[in-house]
Amino acid sequence: MIRTKIKSLLTLSSILFFCICVLSACATQKAAQAPIVEEPWGGLVEILPENSPIVAEIHGRDLLKSVKFVLDWFSAEPENWGAQGASMIRMANLYWKLFSSTAGGDPTLDATWHGIGVDAERPIVLAVHPVVQDGWMDAIEAGQQPTVNAPVLGFRMIVPTHTENVLRNFVSDALKTASYTLREEGIWGPSDTSFPWIWVNVGPVQSEIDVVFVSTHSTTETREREAISALKRARGFKRGAPKAPVFPESSLISISVHQETAATFARATAYSRALGLSNRVSIDERSAYLSKLVAQAIRGSQAFEVRSQELPMSRYTLSSSGFSMDFLLGDGAPRMRSSALGGIDSGTSDIGFFMDLRPLNDERARYLKLPDAERGLQFIDNEDPEDFVYMFTLFRSLALIAGNLLDAAPEAFSEPWASLVGALDGADVLEISQNQNLQILAHLKERPADRRQDAARDVASFFQILHAHLNGEAAPNPVAGVVPDSVESLSLTGSSGSTVFLPSKNLFFAQEVNDRETTPGDPQFQDRGEDDIAFFRAEPIWLVRFLSEQSAYSEIEYGRIAQRLGAIEARISPHTQGELEMIRWQMEMKKPLVVD
């Protein structure tokens, strides 16, 4: 069911979002951001495989500083993390010590990196090999055993060299420890068939390590021959600019994805695994089983392919200023209109939310909206959780869900999402604030009187259900009667003091008031002075309350943890970089973590 998967995506994203914000909060305090590299791809175009679909850049030393700070933060109060918290923290510290021992010292120090021959100032870059195949995928899609070579499935890692001989010896010793043996000059083969094959080329400035994965269904002799052939083909790939977009700036981690070619890579890796699995069943069942697995892989790849022409590329960046996602728009994209309306100070709320749907109601809608939203979102249920490559679709999937909320059938969502869909359907702008009182302000669309009344009731219904979710109790329906079109300003009071205002034909306001005599002021939309399409803010107590509802985390001391965290903010806004137009999602934790 879509609604079940959406809830799972939201839960997973909340946890991942929290971890990312924690890392960035540490980065603000512990790791200075690396200088911006003006030259595209940091001058590595002559080394990177041309047309690479996915490229990642990692500043190892700074990232590990943040990781160590997070570990210290978790370790400071192990009792906060439930009955198993202390043992999990001991295990995490044990792994850190083991990693430090392998690296030859504290990996947060330059001296340790230099001791293994790596330059700590420059990033490590990983680029997925482009999928080049001659009918291999066509044969598998036809349910046949391919007779041509499988495409190279792997990646190239570029490591900045500090001392050539030291790095060569370190890599050699590390591979031997992992039970690899040198098969040919530079080529290392594993003893475990599930491990990849590796080609190492250490240079004075940059060192290249090509990694390829070989199907496990082959015999040992065939597998070695296929692996060596794949490594040589990988080394022979033309060098040049990747298909993935250039990183906006240096950071702790940056990942860029070209959707269409990444979909081909995802499908090829799934086919390779399907081929191996199909060889484990009887010959009579093999063709049908392979066809089933291939169909699943094709459906799963839609997570990359949906709107790949309109949103052809994505970038994910974790830096000291937070976590950001860029969804680059296709050629000829018009400039996105900035949001200008606002009436509640949601930026200082315990929970604040603002969304302007006007940019999605014009020609820009073609970048996010699907022709059939309910069926189009079915791809969410077909992503293969066993394939690591689908982690690159998580936030993009959520963006597509957000862009199609109003077009999917209401039964596809659970509360309060179903009511939110109803409220947004009749409004151009929706703003929510929760401090002592819950406030909702909506700018209703220009509609006939009867539809305007329906829109006002939808907002009131959402107000009632949201109140119940946030405060643990149901609020009475705040609308006590009809909303006459002839009245410019109207106050309606429910049985417990909930009040609804309609100051004008297109402005709707709902507020829970504790005192029946209290009358809220007349809210007015004003220029926000920002470019946000959407904005969300939450004090940590609300995030941990959401996580505490998940049974797997019920033993954690959420109240104590919330006291040590700052507010989390997220926003969606238009952004321009040179000639590129994009939609940028930004998330940050407002208060750096402190270890007492």
Side-chain angles (χ1 to χ4, degrees), residues 525-541:
F525 276 109
Q526 300 174 351
D527 189 342
R528 289 172 56 88
E530 298 177 359
D531 290 336
D532 298 340
I533 300 170
F535 169 84
F536 172 78
R537 169 191 169 87
E539 290 294 333
I541 188 61

Side-chain angles (χ1 to χ4, degrees), residues 90-168:
R90 281 196 301 271
M91 186 63 68
N93 278 290
L94 180 61
Y95 279 120
W96 178 265
K97 290 179 180 178
L98 180 62
F99 178 75
S100 299
S101 176
T102 303
D106 185 349
T108 66
L109 301 177
D110 287 1
T112 302
W113 289 82
H114 296 166
I116 61 175
V118 178
D119 185 351
E121 294 296 327
R122 292 180 287 155
I124 296 171
V125 177
L126 290 84
V128 169
H129 293 131
V131 175
V132 180
Q133 52 91 30
D134 299 314
W136 181 83
M137 296 176 68
D138 294 334
I140 293 180
E141 289 170 0
Q144 303 169 359
Q145 290 286 333
T147 58
V148 296
N149 288 331
V152 176
L153 299 176
F155 60 89
R156 176 171 299 163
M157 179 166 61
I158 300 174
V159 181
T161 305
H162 181 268
T163 309
E164 186 175 353
N165 290 334
V166 173
L167 179 56
R168 182 180 293 108

Side-chain angles (χ1 to χ4, degrees), residues 74-95:
F74 274 86
S75 302
E77 297 178 297
E79 64 275 9
N80 289 345
W81 311 103
Q84 302 299 318
S87 62
M88 289 190 296
I89 289 172
R90 281 196 301 271
M91 186 63 68
N93 278 290
L94 180 61
Y95 279 120

Side-chain angles (χ1 to χ4, degrees), residues 474-494:
N477 190 342
V479 177
V482 299
V483 181
D485 184 56
S486 60
V487 177
E488 290 293 321
S489 181
L490 181 67
S491 173
L492 301 173
T493 304

Side-chain angles (χ1 to χ4, degrees), residues 13-42:
S13 298
S14 297
I15 296 171
L16 183 58
F17 174 35
F18 172 76
C19 294
I20 286 170
C21 287
V22 167
L23 274 175
S24 64
C26 298
T28 303
Q29 200 175 59
K30 298 293 288 183
Q33 186 171 345
I36 294 177
V37 179
E38 298 293 342
E39 191 175 0
W41 298 112

Side-chain angles (χ1 to χ4, degrees), residues 387-588:
D387 197 333
F388 81 96
V389 75
Y390 287 103
M391 70 178 181
F392 298 118
T393 68
L394 175 62
F395 288 114
R396 190 173 187 271
S397 295
L398 287 174
L400 287 169
I401 290 171
N404 290 273
L405 277 175
L406 304 185
D407 300 302
E411 57 268 20
F413 306 98
S414 56
E415 293 296 356
W417 311 110
S419 295
L420 175 61
V421 171
L424 291 174
D425 187 45
D428 284 321
V429 182
L430 183 68
E431 192 163 12
I432 301 168
S433 174
Q434 165 82 27
N435 281 318
Q436 293 181 349
N437 298 322
L438 173 64
Q439 295 177 291
I440 293 181
L441 184 61
H443 187 277
L444 303 183
K445 295 177 181 177
E446 290 282 359
R447 286 182 168 179
D450 58 337
R451 296 193 65 189
R452 188 170 62 85
Q453 293 176 24
D454 291 340
R457 294 181 190 282
D458 286 339
V459 175
S461 175
F462 173 61
F463 165 75
Q464 181 184 20
I465 293 172
L466 184 62
H467 180 282
H469 277 262
L470 292 178
N471 299 287
E473 59 181 19
N477 190 342
V479 177
V482 299
V483 181
D485 184 56
S486 60
V487 177
E488 290 293 321
S489 181
L490 181 67
S491 173
L492 301 173
T493 304
S495 60
S496 73
S498 296
T499 301
V500 173
F501 281 160
L502 192 69
S504 68
K505 293 182 180 181
N506 293 89
L507 188 64
F508 185 86
F509 177 72
Q511 179 181 35
E512 174 212 0
V513 291
N514 298 322
D515 184 349
R516 282 173 172 267
E517 302 301 322
T518 301
T519 301
D522 187 2
Q524 297 292 333
F525 276 109
Q526 300 174 351
D527 189 342
R528 289 172 56 88
E530 298 177 359
D531 290 336
D532 298 340
I533 300 170
F535 169 84
F536 172 78
R537 169 191 169 87
E539 290 294 333
I541 188 61
W542 296 101
L543 178 62
V544 298
R545 177 184 293 182
F546 170 74
L547 293 177
S548 66
E549 295 174 355
Q550 316 304 313
S551 58
Y553 316 105
S554 59
E555 295 182 348
I556 296 178
E557 296 290 339
Y558 291 100
R560 295 178 62 180
I561 295 171
Q563 296 175 16
R564 290 154 178 76
L565 300 174
I568 292 176
E569 292 185 356
R571 63 183 76 244
I572 305 174
S573 58
H575 188 71
T576 302
Q577 181 184 348
E579 297 181 356
L580 296 177
E581 292 283 342
M582 65 195 76
I583 302 173
R584 172 164 288 184
W585 298 46
Q586 293 175 289
M587 311 173 197
E588 62 177 323

